[in-house]
Each structure stands twice: as structure tokens, then as C-alpha cells.
Amino acid sequence: MPAPAATKYSWSTVPLEQLNPALSRRIVRGKEVMVAHVHLKAGCVVPKHHHVNEQVTYILQGAMRLWVGDKVDSQSDADGIVLESGELLVIPSNVPHRAVALEDTLDMDVFSPPREDWLSGTDDYLRQK
């Protein structure tokens, strides 16, 4: 039985999905993993949520503040984790989190397994204006 073929992608050819005026993304998926370029305008809020998928968020450009776990409902900036260009955060499965872009930001999110809600378009928490 032949090995599965590798697939090459270029981010510039992956369709850009506009979720709301401040948030867009490009998604590439494999069988067991999914990677996304997520573009957030300064001030963009990613509401509190959680998912079964393990997540790695890597900041390529810009900066964002994330509140994670028992700090997710805190209103204090001091309880957030600031990620800047070149930094990453691993978020375990089912841990609640939320974020705000501190400036125009490009992050790369990696999920295992792939986010079915993102693939099916049922991620309503991101699509609100």
C-alpha cells in the first residue's frame, strides 16, 4: 500500500474567510491536525470559549492578551498573558480562554484534532459583529 502523498500549500493561495469586520483566517488541515493564519485588527475580541482540541497559538506579527483557565473571567489586564511576535502559548484541551488583539496581529493557530466547528462554519462566537 503506497504512503499518503504530501501536499504543499502557499498561504497566498488559501482562501481568506472574513468572520467579522476585525477577524479573518486561512485554514489548512491534515487528517489529525489543522493550522490557521488568523488576522486580527487592533481591539478585536475573541470571546470566552473552550474546545476539545489542543491549541498552540504562535504570534507571527503584533501582540495579543489572553486570559486562560481560572483567570478567563478576570477583568484585570494583569491576569492576562501577553504574547508578542515570536512567542507562543499551548492551551490544553477544554481549558476556557479569551483574547484581545493589542495591535494588528497575525497569529498561527494549530489544533489537534482539527476544529470541526471552524470547518463547518458553526463557530458563531467568532462571527458576531
Side-chain angles (χ1 to χ4, degrees):
M1 184 166 169
T7 305
K8 179 181 174 181
Y9 295 91
S10 172
W11 284 116
S12 64
T13 63
V14 175
L16 181 67
E17 180 183 13
Q18 193 71 45
L19 297 155
N20 67 52
L23 181 65
S24 60
R25 68 182 174 209
R26 300 177 196 273
I27 298 173
V28 174
R29 74 166 294 179
K31 183 177 179 188
E32 301 295 330
V33 69
M34 180 175 92
V35 67
H37 264 186
V38 181
H39 303 265
L40 305 99
K41 291 184 180 176
C44 178
V45 172
V46 177
K48 176 181 167 182
H49 66 285
H50 64 88
H51 39 76
V52 300
N53 321 77
E54 187 172 23
Q55 176 176 348
V56 177
T57 295
Y58 174 58
I59 305 301
L60 298 167
Q61 298 171 340
M64 59 191 316
R65 178 175 284 116
L66 295 98
W67 291 264
V68 180
D70 62 354
K71 307 281 189 186
V72 73
D73 292 320
S74 173
Q75 297 306 306
S76 171
D77 287 351
D79 287 334
I81 300 166
V82 174
L83 292 181
E84 297 176 332
S85 182
E87 297 180 325
L88 56 99
L89 183 68
V90 177
I91 304 171
S93 174
N94 289 312
V95 171
H97 51 285
R98 65 183 175 92
V100 63
L102 301 176
E103 54 191 74
D104 288 352
T105 300
L106 172 60
D107 90 68
M108 184 168 64
D109 286 337
V110 179
F111 298 99
S112 181
R115 293 279 307 264
E116 291 302 326
D117 61 334
W118 282 27
L119 297 169
S120 67
T122 58
D123 49 352
D124 294 339
Y125 73 101
L126 292 175
R127 296 175 184 274
Q128 301 187 9
K129 304 287 184 246

